[in-house]
């Protein structure tokens, strides 16, 4: 059965302040969705909830992953079930290389599925890494770097995309807004997403930048504004955003007087 992430009537508050006010969104395996919207509209709040950040309180609604209540799953359980939640360890871990980190991630997933598993062999792991890095046009030396230690914004994104390629999730959520991405990092994310696209992967790219739409052609585009998805469409909506920005969204959907 194809996996899906279903967000139903989601209401979320931060410090008692309602931020999300009834979000509905379904991502199926094989689909690429973009969630766009002006700053402060609630995009990162949504990704934080999916990540299980305890600062965000779900006051109503639900999130289902493969029909199961995602909000009751532990964070590592979410990832073992095939949900990729961007980079879960954005802090630098000196002494742990990206390759070590990825091998640990693979092994812990294999052990979770089968307690007797001995994990992936070093030679299989090397082959896997080489194949994935080649498909992403990455230099092999990158895997030997210490995780996030002095990584540029673009390199962090590269590590994230590599992690996604190696773990082969069914649904991936990428929130790009918090890191002040330059055009180079944006292109890396877009190219990575494009190269991993396929029937087994559903992707939600959360971004404020219309520019990324020059590189990724999402099948579905959603606009979030004041905690709700106010408009959904296809590539045509992306083109409209590129030409007109968000002013028309504010004019059409604003519920509070400035
Ligand atoms: P976006 O990602 O679309 O720019 P956010 O989800 O980051 O929007 O923010 C939406 C609103 O929620 C903003 O008003 C922001 O100030 C508030 N908010 C988000 N996270 C927190 C937090 N941890 N503490 C307090 N307010 C928050
Ligand atoms: Mg954000």
């Amino acid at each position: 059965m194809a996996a899906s992430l279903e967000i139903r009537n989601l209401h979320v508050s931060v410090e008692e302040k309602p931020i999300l006010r009834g979000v509905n969104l379904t991502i199926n395996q094989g689909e690429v969705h973009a969630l766009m919207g002006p700053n402060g509209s609630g995009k990162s709040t949504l990704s934080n909830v999916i990540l299980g950040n305890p600062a965000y309180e779900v006051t109503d609604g639900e999130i289902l992953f493969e029909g199961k209540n995602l909000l009751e799953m532990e964070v590592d359980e979410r990832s073992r079930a095939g949900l990729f939640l961007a980079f879960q360890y954005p802090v630098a871990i000196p002494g742990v290389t990206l390759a070590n980190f990825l091998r640990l991630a693979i092994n812990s997933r294999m052990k979770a599925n089968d307690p007797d598993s001995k994990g992936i062999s070093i030679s299989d792991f090397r082959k896997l890494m080489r194949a994935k890095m080649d498909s992403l046009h990455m230099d092999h030396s990158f895997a030997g770097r210490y995780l996030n230690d002095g990584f540029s914004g673009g390199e962090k994104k590269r590590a994230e995309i590599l992690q996604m390629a190696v773990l082969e999730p069914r649904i991936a959520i990428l929130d790009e807004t918090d890191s002040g991405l330059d055009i180079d990092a944006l292109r890396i994310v877009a190219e990575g997403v494009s190269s991993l696209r396929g029937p087994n992967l559903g992707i939600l790219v959360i971004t404020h930048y219309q520019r990324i739409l020059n590189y990724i052609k999402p099948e579905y585009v959603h606009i979030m504004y004041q905690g709700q998805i106010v408009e959904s469409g296809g590539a045509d909506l992306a083109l409209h955003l590129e030409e007109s920005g968000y002013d028309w969204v504010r004019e059409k959907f604003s519920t509070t007087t400035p």
Side-chain angles (χ1 to χ4, degrees):
M1 199 189 84
S4 66
L5 182 73
E6 288 177 70
I7 299 160
R8 293 187 185 160
N9 188 35
L10 189 70
H11 290 252
V12 174
S13 292
V14 181
E15 292 167 0
E16 316 271 297
K17 183 177 145 206
I19 308 290
L20 297 186
R21 302 178 299 129
V23 173
N24 292 289
L25 180 63
T26 298
I27 319 282
N28 293 304
Q29 226 175 343
E31 299 174 350
V32 178
H33 294 248
L35 180 64
M36 321 267 315
N39 279 328
S41 55
K43 303 181 301 294
S44 293
T45 297
L46 179 62
S47 67
N48 272 288
V49 170
I50 297 170
L51 264 160
N53 183 330
Y56 296 78
E57 190 200 353
V58 175
T59 55
D60 201 1
E62 58 184 356
I63 305 179
L64 302 177
F65 183 59
E66 298 191 303
K68 282 185 251 161
N69 184 346
L70 180 86
L71 298 171
E72 282 180 357
M73 294 162 82
E74 298 295 333
V75 171
D76 67 326
E77 206 181 337
R78 298 176 196 200
S79 90
R80 269 188 269 120
L83 185 66
F84 179 81
L85 304 157
F87 213 63
Q88 287 173 24
Y89 306 95
V91 292
I93 311 183
V96 175
T97 63
L98 182 57
N100 284 338
F101 174 78
L102 290 173
R103 191 156 168 251
L104 280 172
I106 291 176
N107 284 344
S108 77
R109 200 177 55 178
M110 288 170 79
K111 288 215 172 75
N113 293 334
D114 170 13
D116 295 330
S117 168
K118 300 228 164 24
I120 189 168
S121 74
I122 290 190
S123 74
D124 283 351
F125 179 71
R126 283 209 184 113
K127 273 183 222 147
L128 178 73
M129 288 288 284
R130 275 195 208 120
K132 297 296 185 187
M133 292 175 93
D134 287 345
S135 74
L136 295 169
H137 307 290
M138 285 180 190
D139 194 288
H140 290 182
S141 65
F142 189 56
R145 296 268 310 266
Y146 290 134
L147 188 58
N148 284 340
D149 194 14
F151 277 20
S152 67
E155 285 167 340
K156 281 185 185 156
K157 286 295 144 197
R158 244 179 243 277
E160 187 175 305
I161 296 293
L162 180 61
Q163 188 192 20
M164 191 167 135
V166 168
L167 293 180
E168 298 181 348
R170 285 183 265 206
I171 305 280
I173 319 276
L174 301 167
D175 187 348
E176 310 311 330
T177 46
D178 47 3
S179 46
L181 291 188
D182 58 15
I183 189 69
D184 180 47
L186 218 57
R187 190 177 46 77
I188 290 162
V189 173
E191 284 175 2
V193 166
S194 300
S195 74
L196 296 177
R197 244 176 139 141
N200 296 322
L201 178 61
I203 305 175
L204 177 63
V205 181
I206 300 178
T207 182
H208 161 79
Y209 302 97
Q210 287 100 287
R211 235 185 215 170
I212 199 168
L213 304 176
N214 296 334
Y215 302 99
I216 303 179
K217 298 278 175 258
E219 295 147 284
Y220 305 93
V221 177
H222 312 275
I223 302 175
M224 183 173 275
Y225 184 58
Q226 296 188 339
Q228 290 177 319
I229 291 178
V230 293
E231 194 106 338
S232 292
D236 52 334
L237 183 54
L239 285 177
H240 186 48
L241 269 183
E242 207 178 328
E243 284 161 15
S244 320
Y246 290 116
D247 282 350
W248 64 274
V249 177
R250 290 189 189 93
E251 276 159 32
K252 194 168 167 191
F253 298 104
S254 196
T255 56
T256 49
T257 41

